[in-house]
Amino acid sequence: DQQVKQNSPSLSVQEGRISILNCDYTNSMFDYFLWYKKYPAEGPTFLISISSIKDKNEDGRFTVFLNKSAKHLSLHIVPSQPGDSAVYFCAATDAQGGSEKLVFGKGTKLTVNP
Amino acid sequence: KAGVTQTPRYLIKTRGQQVTLSCSPISGHRSVSWYQQTPGQGLQFLFEYFSETQRNKGNFPGRFSGRQFSNSRSEMNVSTLELGDSALYLCASSFGSGHYGYTFGSGTRLTVV
């Protein structure tokens, strides 16, 4: 069963507009939520994280919102730039099993058009 | 400082063979994790090592194994390769808790023919 879901495989936005990437999860024991960005032939790059006890975290153009009751989080990118075009992965930290591991969604491909 | 280094970048192996992949973490990072990325399953956790001990293991068959050395470098081994093992294998290191952000290497692209 997929505990972290990104239901939109792709998203296309215009440069300068807002990009909103969504993520749903099922496991209420997740401790932290993270967003990673991945370019082809490179490893994922950490963008921003949020604790499960917070509802918002902001870092420059990136803001992550967490709605625990809905088990939903979103990443807002404002303003979007062509260089933001990449695959974005939502992940959650799972500390069960003896140590922490990341549980990933399957990713959303963001295309920012000039 | 140097990032996470994975070698080799690309590998082609034949079914039934075995393969060893290497990962050098960021200096000072003691935790090393391995992930498999495939188009169908996405990124899946393989195992995590800390101070030469495996602390956690994902749902993969026993053909997948790993180890960590005293200098924190890690290797993973896949024996009796199957076509379905073709994937991008990613290594990540962290200093402490991963919510500060694991740092990933560029991965090893394994193709099994």
Side-chain angles (χ1 to χ4, degrees), chain A residues 18-114:
Chain A
I18 184 171
S19 295
I20 300 176
L21 297 105
N22 294 303
C23 178
D24 297 300
Y25 63 95
T26 58
N27 188 341
S28 58
M29 300 298 290
F30 286 148
D31 196 21
Y32 282 84
F33 300 91
L34 303 87
W35 285 93
Y36 280 83
K37 171 179 169 180
K38 187 178 185 300
Y39 294 115
E42 294 183 14
T45 302
F46 171 72
L47 278 175
I48 190 170
S49 66
I50 186 169
S51 164
S52 58
I53 63 172
K54 303 281 189 182
D55 55 20
K56 178 183 175 181
N57 188 25
E58 191 172 354
D59 184 2
R61 297 187 297 115
F62 302 93
T63 304
V64 57
F65 296 92
L66 175 62
N67 182 334
K68 280 195 75 173
S69 60
K71 293 191 173 69
H72 176 84
L73 65 154
S74 60
L75 175 68
H76 293 210
I77 306 174
V78 184
S80 301
Q81 300 172 354
D84 296 330
S85 297
V87 177
Y88 288 77
F89 289 96
C90 170
T93 59
D94 180 357
Q96 298 174 65
S99 73
E100 190 181 81
K101 67 180 182 186
L102 290 175
V103 180
F104 283 90
K106 293 194 175 181
T108 296
K109 183 177 182 180
L110 173 66
T111 303
V112 181
N113 301 301

Side-chain angles (χ1 to χ4, degrees), chain B residues 16-108:
Chain B
Q17 287 187 313
Q18 76 165 19
V19 67
T20 299
L21 312 181
S22 179
C23 171
S24 294
I26 289 174
S27 178
H29 286 191
R30 294 165 66 188
S31 170
V32 174
S33 303
W34 289 87
Y35 291 81
Q36 180 197 64
Q37 185 184 18
T38 59
Q41 298 300 319
L43 277 150
Q44 292 190 292
F45 173 76
L46 279 156
F47 27 66
E48 188 252 355
Y49 287 88
F50 184 89
S51 293
E52 302 179 65
T53 301
Q54 185 183 89
R55 296 199 300 186
N56 205 345
K57 190 176 192 307
N59 294 325
F60 280 82
R63 301 185 296 106
F64 291 81
S65 63
R67 58 178 175 168
Q68 186 181 33
F69 302 94
S70 58
N71 61 358
S72 293
R73 189 177 72 85
S74 177
E75 290 181 346
M76 68 163 280
N77 184 78
V78 188
S79 63
T80 320
L81 284 166
E82 301 177 359
L83 295 179
D85 297 333
S86 295
L88 179 67
Y89 290 89
L90 291 158
C91 166
S93 75
S94 67
F95 176 75
S97 175
H99 66 268
Y100 294 109
Y102 292 84
T103 302
F104 281 82
S106 296
T108 294

